[in-house]
Amino acid sequence: MANAATLVVDANPDSREGLSRIIKEAGFPVLTAGSGSEGLALLTTLRPSVVIVDMDLPGIDACDLIHQMRLEVTDVVLLALSSVQDTAHVVRTMRAGASDFLAKPASATTVQSAIRTALTRSEVSGADLAGGGEADRFWPDLDLLYRNSERMRGVEDIVRRAADTNATILLQGESGTGKEMVAKSVHYISQRRDRPFLKVNCASLPGDLLESELFGHEKGAFTGAHRRKPGKFELAHRGTFLLDEIGEMPLGLQAKLLHVLQDGRFFRVGGSERIETDVRLIAATNRDLAAVMATGHFREDLYYRLNVVTIAIPPLRERREEIPLLVEHFLRKFSRQYDR
């Protein structure tokens, strides 16, 4: 089950420390993150029961962060803390996946009460699982994913044969075909199922930020690097790491990724300490990497290092028999989520 910690995601050190102190005074363990990406990594790795997200995080849309957190861990209790209190903002925040909305400045009593309520809710949710362990709790719906079309049963056959190897997997398919779900099924079928599953979208960050996200950085490595930050390769140790949109990775980073795949070692940005990592890498793309490679925008040696097990995921238009079952699944899911 998720641990009983509360994760505070707040870029302001004073505010973050104040919230941490309030939570500790109530007897609850606390985790802290100074950015949305760090908070997301801690959520997927350590699975706290409650997350408090400061909606005034600079440089990102906090609603998008909440939505991503909700997708990553469906049963986490997400508390939004915001200085903006107009109805439209509250509605958008709740629709993104927030469980509750706290107005700034929130008193110690308000924060502690909200966490107690959230933990009670988590305990009830956990009891509904009928004793399932952590692996079962986050297990993908394999029946929904594979069993309703002949094309996807072929995909499942490759997944099951590859899951307990350490072979790198390349997932190819159009956007929206379910590449991430297939990657998660590889992880949860494999012997790494009790370890972290992390992901990074290579198209969502510029090259310098993507390098820091993957490999971490040391304090002072660049402007704004106020403290050491572990990267996803470090956080995903002994687990599975999904690199989505791998075809968008800059050439310079491709060389560094190749070395990690070959040696299992890397340096944080600005660091001299060699970090060792044991990570099962899954790469995903909606592009024809062989064609990208022919244009010189993708390294040939990296392509062959990634292309050990290739799984082509067909689009839904070629699996139309699945549509009624998907409709039924999402109707049930959102009926439960919105109590309708």
Side-chain angles (χ1 to χ4, degrees):
M1 294 183 66
N3 70 57
T6 295
L7 169 62
V8 175
V9 184
D10 191 331
N12 185 306
D14 294 334
S15 173
R16 192 166 64 242
E17 177 58 32
L19 280 171
S20 298
R21 187 169 55 253
I22 288 170
I23 296 166
K24 288 176 183 176
E25 287 172 354
F28 303 126
V30 183
L31 303 166
T32 61
S35 67
S37 59
E38 185 183 2
L40 190 59
L42 288 174
L43 171 66
T44 54
T45 304
L46 300 179
R47 298 196 181 275
S49 293
V50 184
V51 180
I52 298 178
V53 178
D54 178 10
M55 299 301 289
D56 302 322
L57 285 168
I60 67 168
D61 186 328
C63 283
D64 288 344
L65 174 63
I66 283 179
H67 179 64
Q68 186 62 46
M69 286 181 162
R70 175 62 65 206
L71 292 175
E72 288 289 344
V73 183
T74 57
D75 59 350
V76 68
V77 179
L78 294 168
L79 305 179
L81 184 64
S82 179
S83 57
V84 180
Q85 300 167 34
D86 65 86
T87 303
H89 179 64
V90 175
V91 169
R92 181 167 178 258
T93 302
M94 300 302 285
R95 284 179 174 172
S99 310
D100 203 352
F101 190 96
L102 307 179
K104 288 184 179 180
S107 68
T109 302
T110 299
V111 172
Q112 292 168 355
S113 175
I115 292 172
R116 287 191 185 96
T117 301
L119 289 173
T120 301
R121 193 183 310 172
S122 294
E123 288 170 3
V124 171
S125 175
D128 289 342
L129 294 169
E134 183 172 0
D136 290 333
R137 195 175 182 194
F138 303 104
W139 195 276
D141 189 340
L142 298 184
D143 282 336
L144 182 71
L145 183 61
Y146 294 128
R147 308 294 161 72
N148 299 308
S149 75
E150 189 64 34
R151 296 287 301 276
M152 290 305 289
R153 283 193 289 274
V155 170
E156 180 189 20
D157 180 60
I158 302 173
V159 164
R160 289 194 177 276
R161 284 188 284 124
D164 270 335
T165 72
N166 284 317
T168 302
I169 293 177
L170 179 63
L171 302 178
Q172 295 183 310
E174 298 175 16
S175 296
T177 52
K179 295 188 291 296
E180 184 177 337
M181 285 294 294
V182 172
K184 286 182 175 179
S185 73
V186 171
H187 174 72
Y188 288 113
I189 291 171
S190 78
Q191 294 180 2
R192 296 175 182 260
R193 66 178 68 90
D194 294 324
R195 299 294 182 171
F197 175 92
L198 298 183
K199 67 172 184 175
V200 165
N201 187 316
C202 298
S204 66
L205 295 169
D208 53 347
L209 292 181
L210 179 59
E211 183 177 12
S212 173
E213 190 72 11
L214 295 179
F215 305 110
H217 63 251
E218 296 290 345
K219 180 179 179 181
F222 49 82
T223 303
H226 301 302
R227 56 191 174 81
R228 172 187 285 180
K229 172 193 169 185
K232 288 294 200 304
F233 270 106
E234 195 170 344
L235 293 171
H237 182 55
R238 295 183 179 172
T240 305
F241 186 19
L242 170 62
L243 271 175
D244 201 5
E245 304 295 351
I246 187 71
E248 307 301 325
M249 179 176 283
L251 277 170
L253 268 186
Q254 291 178 28
K256 192 167 183 177
L257 174 61
L258 180 63
H259 287 304
V260 176
L261 293 178
Q262 289 174 338
D263 305 330
R265 301 183 180 93
F266 63 93
F267 295 95
R268 300 188 190 99
V269 177
S272 57
E273 177 189 359
R274 189 184 296 270
I275 310 296
E276 294 194 5
T277 186
D278 170 17
V279 170
R280 195 316 168 46
L281 185 72
I282 301 176
T285 182
N286 59 8
R287 303 179 66 183
D288 181 348
L289 283 190
V292 179
M293 181 178 67
T295 67
H297 290 96
F298 201 85
R299 293 178 62 104
E300 183 176 3
D301 47 6
L302 178 58
Y303 173 73
Y304 288 113
R305 174 69 66 166
L306 294 174
N307 194 22
V308 178
V309 176
T310 301
I311 302 177
I313 305 173
L316 189 60
R317 64 178 174 274
E318 297 178 9
R319 302 147 40 197
R320 291 179 180 270
E321 63 270 32
E322 297 181 40
I323 293 175
L325 296 158
L326 289 170
V327 170
E328 183 180 347
H329 165 77
F330 286 113
L331 278 173
R332 286 199 306 268
K333 174 181 176 180
F334 292 119
S335 293
R336 287 194 301 268
Q337 182 173 332
Y338 298 109
D339 196 22
R340 293 289 186 269

